[in-house]
Amino acid sequence: MQTDTRIRKVRMGIDVGGTHTKAVAIDNDTQEIIGKASVKTTHDDRYGVAAGVVQAFRKCMEENDITPDEVIFVAHSTTQATNALVEGDVAKVGIIGTSRGGLEGLLARPQMALKNIDLGNGRKIEILNRYVPEKNFNHDTVESAAQELQKEGAQVFVATGAFGVDNMEDEQNISSVTKDEMGFETTMASEITKLYGLTRRTRTAAINASILPKMLNTAIQTESSVRSAGVTVPLMIMRGDGGVMEINEMKKRPVLTMLSGPAASVMGSLMYLRASNGVYFEVGGTTVNIGVIKDGRPAIDYSIVGGHRTYITSLDVRVLGVAGGSMIRIDKGGVKDVGPRSAHIAGMEYAVFMPEEEIVDPQLELFSPKPGDPKDYVCIRLKNGKRITITNTCAANVLGLVDPEYFSYGNAESARKAMQPIADYMNVSVEEVATQILTRAYEKISPVILELADKYKLEHDMIRLVGVGGGAAALIGFCAGKMGVNYSIPENAEVISSIGVALAMVRDVVERTVPNPTGDDIRSIKQEAIDKAVESGASPDTVEVHIEIDSQTSKLTAIATGSTEVKTQDLMSECTEEEAKALAAEDMKTTPERTELTAESGSFRVFQTTDSRHHRPVRIVDKKGFIKVQRTDAEAVEAKVTNYRAVVTKLWEDLAVYKADAILRPDYYICAGARVMDFSGGSELEQVLLLIDVEMQAMDPGTEVIVVGARNQL
């Protein structure tokens, strides 16, 4: 009998939810879940939700016999930054600004003098300001300004300069006084972002500084508790944009962890999504979070705090008050609305989760769950006096839309009996009541999906719904059917967020304002992004960088991603050409017989369908069966590094779409080695070629590549 002598390597992810904090342990080599643990989220603990993170972590280790030396990765999402801002648990901020004199000083001074930042519900970040012109700028004047702000109550400081993104020396000098000498936590505005926009940059730094004391407290406590458990690997924290960063980096830029909860579920979805485009659909009991995955990456936008845009990048998520536990509102004419009040908030059980024998003599009551709510929410009173309610989950089970393996599966007969008095009241069938309930939910959800798809140019046949969260099965099948799109619910959907944390990549972003960037500019920002990703915990050999150029705003962006260790093996088996063709055909809603292999390289196959006369859909499939690119109309050309420029230039004209007031140019993807490089979004040929040149110059001239040009449509 042989025994497994392989040293187990364990990745641990902890996700903080509104009700529960859940931990998962994953075997790094096989990607199998080897342990789960859940504790109540510790909102009221003196260490806040961090206490629950540690409890879940320890519980998962103890219950699954995981030893400290087996743990190679620990990460957690956190609601701490968001909670601090929502609850107004923030420090008073002192801003010290500087600039040259003359016209620059006249323009810069008011841009750095912020007003208090309104956080809603009467809460705010209090701001104090001092300005030190460059002609008077020295150690003593900075110290004097800081001491004045301290006397006025400043608890943290922001150092900001008019052109700090070009030269941080003045900001560093301010920080050396306020932090190094006086001992106050200090944020340098140009350390948070390298973008111009003095007011916005300073405001983002002020938000970051305001939560530093709270975040440092909990970070230190969490880290020390993990260390006391014998785990020595770096503690990683989930960012709001879907990556992770090492805790020491979080201590400098805690604001980047805003919205890391939704980010965790997205990254978990990506692990299971074989396609590169889709709409993720996280369904809880009270709310549903909806966002987009485009070209294998989650859609990102700048966060808004207190009604003001910041330079804090996070997932572009829409939150709706309609979910698995949403209650219904009715009148004689039918179901009027679903949500936003949920059974959890009203303190009632779902009918579908009740034993059928308890559903005796159900009576309909209309009521107001909370003061100020409408008085037409549905309650069902049972013979034993218990009051229960009807939800989306009840309706989905009645219609047979929830399979037994899903978290939302319940007793359909219990729900049916409880819904009968509603059907009698409305003079329709129980099935009609259930259909109306889910239709009302769909009417709230579908416009959001379509708006996001339009914003991120996700063509309709690219829309694939990915349902995660415990309530996913209650809504996703019905909505996908009405929209005519594919959907999937990944395995372990109820702990998908914890999985996302455990498997997340290190991510960092560098943004600069660079009009007409040169090759040197691109190489420079690429290296800076690599360095920052390594500082955040990525192994240098794993870092890849995606470059974006926005000609309208002159913004140059480098997005670096990498893992915390060099992967030594990949246990997923390769799929055959026939298997890959079947996957591509299914995604293009056609048959393998109508699907052809049009290009192939060492790691990728390009399939297109012959169904349409007017356009040629394309799917780029890697050797593991993951669809890396999905486009409605494209052309694929095999080439070599020596002649890719000629191919790109020809496709620039061949795939152009001429409109009355514009010319839409194609997007490009290049398959080279083990990577698909995305060069979409370019509006000028020379700019696109410049970006591609930077990547190709490092490759052997004889290397075979596939150039895919995708036609854009309005």
Side-chain angles (χ1 to χ4, degrees):
M1 179 178 174
Q2 290 185 330
T3 57
D4 185 1
T5 59
R6 178 174 60 88
I7 298 174
R8 188 168 61 167
K9 296 179 180 179
V10 180
R11 300 177 71 90
M12 295 194 65
I14 306 108
D15 177 63
V16 181
T19 305
H20 292 96
T21 295
K22 298 178 181 179
V24 297
I26 296 177
D27 186 302
N28 187 63
D29 292 333
T30 66
Q31 305 287 285
E32 291 178 297
I33 295 176
I34 57 176
K36 301 178 187 179
S38 179
V39 301
K40 289 282 189 181
T41 299
T42 52
H43 294 291
D44 299 325
D45 191 276
R46 69 189 183 100
Y47 290 111
V49 296
V53 169
V54 174
Q55 291 169 18
F57 169 73
R58 287 176 173 269
K59 184 178 180 184
C60 192
M61 288 186 66
E62 291 165 4
E63 292 183 352
N64 299 286
D65 298 321
I66 298 168
T67 59
D69 60 312
E70 292 178 310
V71 179
I72 64 165
F73 179 91
V74 183
H76 73 86
S77 70
T78 177
T79 58
Q80 205 79 36
T82 305
N83 288 351
L85 292 169
V86 169
E87 296 163 10
D89 190 4
V90 291
K92 185 179 286 190
V93 180
I95 297 175
I96 300 178
T98 186
S99 69
R100 291 193 292 265
L103 181 60
E104 180 187 304
L106 286 172
L107 294 173
R109 184 171 182 174
Q111 292 181 55
M112 290 183 282
L114 300 185
K115 296 178 180 178
N116 292 340
I117 299 172
D118 182 10
L119 299 175
N121 296 323
R123 298 177 175 89
K124 60 187 175 183
I125 300 174
E126 292 187 63
I127 306 289
L128 303 167
N129 297 278
R130 284 296 183 279
Y131 174 74
V132 182
E134 194 171 83
K135 65 178 182 179
N136 299 329
F137 189 89
N138 56 53
H139 176 279
D140 292 343
T141 55
V142 170
E143 183 179 50
S144 176
Q147 288 172 345
E148 289 174 11
L149 291 171
Q150 181 187 2
K151 288 177 183 176
E152 293 177 30
Q155 299 164 296
V156 292
F157 285 89
V158 166
T160 182
F163 288 94
V165 294
D166 300 321
N167 184 345
M168 286 184 64
E169 186 178 348
D170 287 344
E171 292 184 7
Q172 289 166 340
N173 287 334
I174 294 170
S175 181
S176 69
V177 173
T178 57
K179 184 172 184 177
D180 300 341
E181 295 180 21
M182 298 176 66
F184 288 92
E185 293 300 331
T186 301
T187 296
M188 291 180 282
S190 299
E191 189 175 46
I192 299 294
T193 178
K194 297 294 185 184
L195 288 177
Y196 291 131
L198 185 53
T199 299
R200 193 162 158 189
R201 187 167 72 246
T202 304
R203 183 189 303 118
T204 305
I207 295 168
N208 187 77
S210 75
I211 61 174
L212 271 171
K214 176 84 171 179
M215 295 296 288
L216 285 173
N217 254 350
T218 53
I220 291 167
Q221 192 265 344
T222 307
E223 187 176 31
S224 65
S225 295
V226 171
R227 295 286 170 263
S228 70
V231 176
T232 58
V233 295
L235 177 61
M236 312 297 288
I237 312 296
M238 196 85 189
R239 294 163 50 117
D241 59 12
V244 290
M245 60 181 175
E246 207 268 328
I247 195 166
N248 288 325
E249 281 299 302
M250 189 278 279
K251 290 174 182 177
K252 292 188 289 188
R253 299 181 289 166
V255 75
L256 298 182
T257 68
M258 282 177 57
L259 298 178
S260 69
S265 64
V266 181
M267 303 320 291
S269 302
L270 278 170
M271 305 304 165
Y272 289 93
L273 183 65
R274 292 192 87 98
S276 60
N277 296 297
V279 175
Y280 63 86
F281 196 87
E282 184 188 17
V283 186
T286 302
T287 60
V288 58
N289 297 328
I290 301 174
V292 164
I293 295 165
K294 177 73 183 292
D295 296 333
R297 293 187 297 274
I300 303 289
D301 204 348
Y302 292 119
S303 297
I304 296 174
V305 176
H308 299 290
R309 292 187 72 81
T310 69
Y311 282 134
I312 306 161
T313 54
S314 62
L315 268 68
D316 190 2
V317 177
R318 303 290 189 274
V319 181
L320 300 180
V322 53
S326 295
M327 298 167 63
I328 69 171
R329 296 171 54 203
I330 68 169
D331 60 20
K332 287 283 189 181
V335 178
K336 293 169 56 179
D337 200 3
V338 177
R341 187 64 69 210
S342 72
H344 306 276
I345 302 300
M348 293 183 177
E349 293 186 45
Y350 303 17
V352 75
F353 295 140
M354 293 288 296
E356 187 179 347
E357 59 270 18
E358 289 189 26
I359 311 294
V360 178
D361 192 24
Q363 298 294 319
L364 171 65
E365 293 182 1
L366 299 182
F367 79 119
S368 175
K370 295 287 182 181
D373 286 347
K375 297 179 180 180
D376 52 7
Y377 277 97
V378 165
C379 162
I380 303 297
R381 184 180 291 277
L382 305 178
K383 187 175 181 179
N384 62 10
K386 188 167 187 174
R387 300 165 80 233
I388 60 175
T389 195
I390 304 299
T391 66
N392 281 316
T393 303
C394 301
N397 275 273
V398 164
L399 295 177
L401 299 177
V402 186
D403 292 334
E405 69 265 28
Y406 295 130
F407 199 74
S408 299
Y409 184 76
N411 190 325
E413 283 308 308
S414 292
R416 187 182 300 276
K417 287 172 69 175
M419 290 168 67
Q420 187 61 55
I422 303 172
D424 294 342
Y425 177 78
M426 291 164 43
N427 197 28
V428 296
S429 68
V430 168
E431 286 73 19
E432 173 60 21
V433 174
T435 301
Q436 286 190 30
I437 291 170
L438 293 181
T439 300
R440 296 294 90 78
Y442 167 76
E443 288 168 352
K444 289 185 171 183
I445 291 167
S446 61
V448 175
I449 293 175
L450 295 174
E451 185 265 324
L452 282 168
D454 181 63
K455 177 178 180 179
Y456 292 103
K457 296 180 171 60
L458 200 65
E459 295 143 346
H460 188 271
D461 62 348
M462 304 294 119
I463 298 176
R464 172 195 295 260
L465 300 186
V466 183
V468 296
L475 288 173
I476 192 169
F478 187 86
C479 290
K482 294 279 279 187
M483 294 185 73
V485 299
N486 294 331
Y487 79 94
S488 59
I489 301 175
E491 188 181 359
N492 297 302
E494 76 280 3
V495 290
I496 200 79
S497 295
S498 300
I499 294 170
V501 177
L503 298 179
M505 302 281 278
V506 175
R507 188 180 197 273
D508 222 310
V509 180
V510 177
E511 297 177 303
R512 288 190 179 279
T513 305
V514 185
N516 304 313
T518 64
D520 287 341
D521 291 326
I522 293 170
R523 281 183 284 273
S524 174
I525 196 172
K526 181 178 178 180
Q527 187 58 51
E528 187 177 348
I530 292 171
D531 292 344
K532 289 185 79 68
V534 171
E535 287 174 16
S536 291
S539 175
D541 295 338
T542 69
V543 179
E544 294 187 3
V545 182
H546 173 69
I547 304 290
E548 296 175 354
I549 299 175
D550 188 331
S551 301
Q552 290 185 327
T553 61
S554 298
K555 185 173 73 172
L556 183 61
T557 304
I559 304 166
T561 55
S563 61
T564 55
E565 61 163 352
V566 178
K567 289 193 177 293
T568 55
Q569 59 179 316
D570 186 346
L571 300 182
M572 281 192 67
S573 60
E574 292 190 359
C575 62
T576 64
E577 180 180 327
E578 290 72 24
E579 290 170 334
K581 178 182 285 190
L583 289 167
E586 180 187 10
D587 199 64
M588 290 188 287
K589 297 186 177 70
T590 186
T591 63
E593 293 73 28
R594 294 178 176 274
T595 303
E596 61 182 0
L597 177 69
T598 54
E600 185 173 10
S601 69
S603 299
F604 302 97
R605 298 183 177 101
V606 180
F607 295 97
Q608 294 185 270
T609 179
T610 56
D611 275 350
S612 175
R613 298 178 182 177
H614 305 293
H615 57 263
R616 294 267 283 161
V618 69
R619 301 295 186 267
I620 301 177
V621 185
D622 72 10
K623 290 303 173 73
K624 306 296 182 183
F626 284 82
I627 300 173
K628 309 300 287 187
V629 173
Q630 302 157 281
R631 294 300 296 257
T632 298
D633 193 5
E635 186 173 335
V637 180
E638 293 178 345
K640 291 189 177 181
V641 169
T642 50
N643 68 330
Y644 84 87
R645 271 181 154 257
V647 174
V648 169
T649 302
K650 183 175 186 302
L651 292 177
W652 186 260
E653 293 301 331
D654 291 351
L655 299 176
V657 176
Y658 292 87
K659 299 291 181 180
D661 56 350
I663 303 175
L664 300 180
R665 295 297 182 177
D667 292 331
Y668 291 95
Y669 306 88
I670 295 184
C671 304
R675 291 196 296 157
V676 176
M677 292 175 282
D678 179 354
F679 301 101
S680 58
S683 58
E684 298 174 15
L685 178 60
E686 286 308 310
Q687 224 173 52
V688 173
L689 290 171
L690 183 63
L691 285 173
I692 302 176
D693 285 345
V694 171
E695 298 294 341
M696 294 297 179
Q697 285 167 4
M699 299 174 65
D700 184 278
T703 300
E704 294 183 349
V705 299
I706 302 173
V707 179
V708 176
R711 185 178 276 113
N712 279 303
Q713 302 284 350
L714 278 180

